[in-house]
Amino acid sequence: MTDPARRPSRGALLLLVVVGLTLGGLVAELAVRLAAATVPSVKALFAGTDPLGVLVEPHGELGYRQKPNSVFKYANGSFATSNAMGFRGPVVTRPKPSGVFRIILLGGSTSHGWGVGDDSTIDAAMRRILAQRYPGRHFDVVNLGFDGYDSWQDFERLRSDGLALEPDLVIMNSGINDVRNARYPNLVDKDPRTILWASVMTRLREDQRRGRPTVWTVVKHYSYLARLPWLIRASMGNRAIPRGPEKVEVDPEAADYFQRNVERVAGITAARGIPLLLSTPPSSLGIPGHHELTSDRTYWVGSDTATQRYRDELDRRLRLVTDSLTRAAAPVAYVPHHFTLDLFLDDCHLVPAGNAKIAEEFVEAAAPFIARAGEARAPAAAVQRGA
């Protein structure tokens, strides 16, 4: 029979439980961290899960963008560096200096330059081409595109960031990510289902209002183990995205939603007399010889054929908006693209030579508007020389 005096006290038992749980938690934490450091699939799973290490931030009403002075790394070893103003490329002066022709580039990851270095993006190539073609003129090309942007995000970025930069020309290079919106029935404006990073942006906006992150956010910053519930929910949420079989017909709701947002951008530019170039990023899916028949990317719907059908419809909507604006005498142009397979990294992202080609096409389409701006300044310059 056990001597009651030798029995551990309730406090001692509690201490043993606490110590056991603590040691167990530390072992589990070390195991998860070791797996995240050595197992590629686990490492990829945890990439970007640090709530205080998120490289995006909220802006505007429902927008998101890359944090200023941050580096966004891609799997192929390239990276996107954002400047102090929160976009890729050189910082520009505010207010805009006299004599500068400033171009704003909108769009998703193709515009942002997914998978290429900072000197190989569309905007970087445009700056080089413009400097060669117009010696003596001064140009800024501001890249406000970002990975995952659909047409609503283009609109948000223009009105919250772009207009303050006093653009002389806006390029909207859009129509890839809007395909994913065909998954969602009954689309409405400001639809949260269409916004990537929606839950993260909600948390960050709450942190902004509070003035600090929550204790649980700080715990997840330091503990990989604490991030597991979020990863499980995110995984279940991804599986819940309606993918379904190949769609035979294009869903008019998604195309209508896209067109409304393009018209919003066009309404902003037309009201201010700012020329607008409209473009759909090139797609490899319509080129004979492409090999990717299906994909689990969110911006695909069903097969390559179904996805290309949506892309073609969104491109047709761009041309409809262009025709409507042209009849209203608004400064606008539609920019078509004809690419070969060797210019693609994948189905819609481009190698440096592809970005240089699309930059050349944008500069060519912008030429009449650049010439008019030069003619408008010429009389004033002539008066100054005469004086």
Side-chain angles (χ1 to χ4, degrees):
M1 186 171 181
T2 305
D3 185 351
R6 294 177 177 270
R7 291 179 185 173
S9 67
R10 184 173 299 177
L13 287 173
L14 181 60
L15 179 61
L16 286 173
V17 170
V18 170
V19 170
L21 290 174
T22 301
L23 289 176
L26 287 173
V27 170
E29 177 70 26
L30 289 173
V32 174
R33 283 179 176 270
L34 181 61
T38 58
V39 181
S41 60
V42 179
K43 183 177 181 180
L45 190 65
F46 275 90
T49 60
D50 180 358
L52 296 184
V54 176
L55 297 180
V56 293
E57 65 178 12
H59 80 100
E61 187 177 356
L62 291 170
Y64 66 91
R65 62 188 173 194
Q66 188 173 353
K67 275 187 175 179
N69 300 315
S70 65
V71 178
F72 205 85
K73 297 180 180 179
Y74 295 112
N76 65 359
S78 62
F79 53 86
T81 306
S82 65
N83 60 34
M85 300 179 77
F87 56 83
R88 214 170 180 180
V91 168
V92 297
T93 303
R94 293 182 56 189
K96 183 179 65 179
S98 175
V100 171
F101 189 94
R102 183 167 289 170
I103 299 171
I104 297 292
L105 175 62
L106 303 172
S109 50
T110 303
S111 295
H112 185 233
W114 187 95
V116 300
D118 293 331
D119 61 348
S120 299
T121 59
I122 294 171
D123 59 296
M126 288 183 68
R127 284 189 288 272
R128 291 192 291 268
I129 296 167
L130 289 165
Q132 294 170 359
R133 187 169 296 190
Y134 300 95
R137 296 283 296 273
H138 300 285
F139 294 90
D140 290 333
V141 184
V142 180
N143 187 348
L144 296 186
F146 191 53
D147 302 351
Y149 275 12
D150 66 356
S151 55
W152 177 267
Q153 291 296 325
D154 294 337
F155 169 62
E156 283 271 24
R157 195 74 192 268
L158 176 62
R159 65 176 179 169
S160 63
D161 285 345
L163 290 179
L165 297 176
E166 306 170 75
D168 297 289
L169 175 74
V170 172
I171 303 172
M172 185 177 184
N173 185 38
S174 192
I176 296 294
N177 289 319
D178 279 80
V179 172
R180 72 170 179 259
N181 294 337
R183 305 181 189 281
Y184 306 115
N186 305 314
L187 274 174
V188 296
D189 294 338
K190 306 180 185 179
D191 199 316
R193 294 173 297 175
T194 69
I195 302 170
L196 296 182
W197 303 92
S199 61
V200 175
M201 291 303 104
T202 298
R203 176 179 63 80
L204 291 176
R205 290 179 193 277
E206 291 173 352
D207 288 349
Q208 286 179 343
R209 287 192 292 268
R210 190 186 304 108
R212 64 185 185 283
T214 64
V215 172
W216 182 235
T217 295
V218 175
V219 169
K220 287 191 290 185
H221 168 65
Y222 290 105
S223 171
Y224 279 42
L225 201 60
R227 302 178 200 175
L228 285 177
W230 180 88
L231 280 173
I232 294 171
R233 287 195 302 270
S235 176
M236 293 177 65
N238 289 338
R239 288 198 297 269
I241 293 175
R243 300 189 184 277
E246 176 177 339
K247 293 178 180 291
V248 177
E249 299 295 335
V250 172
D251 185 349
E253 280 189 346
D256 291 346
Y257 180 75
F258 174 75
Q259 183 171 341
R260 288 199 304 273
N261 291 329
V262 175
E263 289 169 345
R264 288 185 174 95
V265 170
I268 289 176
T269 58
R272 293 163 176 78
I274 302 170
L276 175 65
L277 301 184
L278 294 175
S279 159
T280 298
S283 171
S284 72
L285 302 184
I287 301 175
H290 79 90
H291 65 278
E292 197 170 16
L293 303 181
T294 61
S295 172
D296 60 358
R297 300 184 187 98
T298 61
Y299 56 84
W300 277 54
V301 179
S303 70
D304 60 335
T305 304
T307 300
Q308 187 59 46
R309 189 181 300 122
Y310 271 82
R311 292 179 182 180
D312 288 342
E313 174 60 18
L314 298 181
D315 183 70
R316 187 182 75 85
R317 297 300 183 99
L318 279 184
R319 288 182 273 118
L320 287 176
V321 174
T322 302
D323 291 344
S324 176
L325 290 170
T326 300
R327 289 193 296 272
V332 64
Y334 167 80
V335 186
H337 305 294
H338 304 286
F339 275 50
T340 52
L341 284 176
D342 60 302
L343 297 177
F344 288 89
L345 277 171
D346 53 29
D347 64 291
C348 64
H349 301 114
L350 306 172
V351 300
N355 286 329
K357 184 178 188 301
I358 199 171
E360 182 75 37
E361 292 169 345
F362 283 154
V363 170
E364 187 66 32
F369 304 115
I370 294 172
R372 290 175 202 170
E375 292 167 1
R377 285 195 294 267
V383 170
Q384 290 176 356
R385 288 195 297 271

